[in-house]
Amino acid sequence: MILKYLKNHPEIWQDIVDALKKVIVRRAADPGELLKTIAALREQVVYLLDSADDDGEVVQAEAWSRRLDHLERVAKLLVNEASKHEVKELREQVFALRKEIIEAFVIEQVEDAAERRSLK
């Protein structure tokens, strides 16, 4: 359903692609690059929080925000000195959270766009 909607509304697809470009990270990303990804994910979580349709979405967005806070603190600690294992573990955690947030972000973008169109 989402893909069909996006296919019929390429302008929404482009907005989503532009937002997602900010969170694309190399597999070998270092803590500094991961901090940029965390900042971009935070923007998406703010959008999700602002666009939340119910308490469940608010609770989920707040939980993601807390997890991003934690990952940001870890990344800052690892910027100057970290083992490969520590960086790999951080990267995996950021990537896992990124997957969750991106999925919710895309769905919310489509829902919001459909809602705006139905109001016209």
Side-chain angles (χ1 to χ4, degrees):
M1 178 180 100
I2 290 172
L3 291 176
K4 182 179 177 185
Y5 189 85
L6 290 173
K7 188 175 185 180
N8 293 330
H9 299 90
E11 69 284 359
I12 297 166
W13 177 247
Q14 190 58 51
D15 290 344
I16 292 171
V17 168
D18 291 343
L20 297 181
K21 282 180 184 177
K22 295 178 183 179
V23 296
I24 304 276
V25 180
R26 301 180 299 119
R27 272 279 180 221
D30 64 24
E33 291 175 88
L34 292 171
L35 281 169
K36 292 176 188 174
T37 300
I38 291 166
L41 288 170
R42 192 174 303 284
E43 290 175 18
Q44 293 179 353
V45 170
V46 167
Y47 173 84
L48 289 167
L49 191 54
D50 290 345
S51 184
D53 300 322
D54 58 45
D55 290 342
E57 289 181 2
V58 170
V59 168
Q60 182 61 67
E62 289 172 343
W64 283 327
S65 183
R66 285 188 301 276
R67 287 172 64 190
L68 287 169
D69 289 344
H70 169 75
L71 292 171
E72 182 178 35
R73 284 190 300 275
V74 171
K76 285 179 179 178
L77 289 171
L78 297 179
V79 166
N80 295 323
E81 191 175 320
S83 70
K84 287 182 180 183
H85 175 74
E86 290 170 323
V87 173
K88 181 182 178 195
E89 190 173 314
L90 172 63
R91 189 180 314 115
E92 288 173 358
Q93 289 179 30
V94 170
F95 286 1
L97 184 56
R98 178 184 68 178
K99 181 182 179 293
E100 292 177 34
I101 293 170
I102 286 173
E103 184 178 297
F105 178 78
V106 170
I107 291 168
E108 194 65 31
Q109 284 275 320
V110 170
E111 288 176 356
D112 289 351
E115 185 177 305
R116 285 190 301 271
R117 290 198 183 289
S118 70
L119 295 176
K120 288 184 179 184

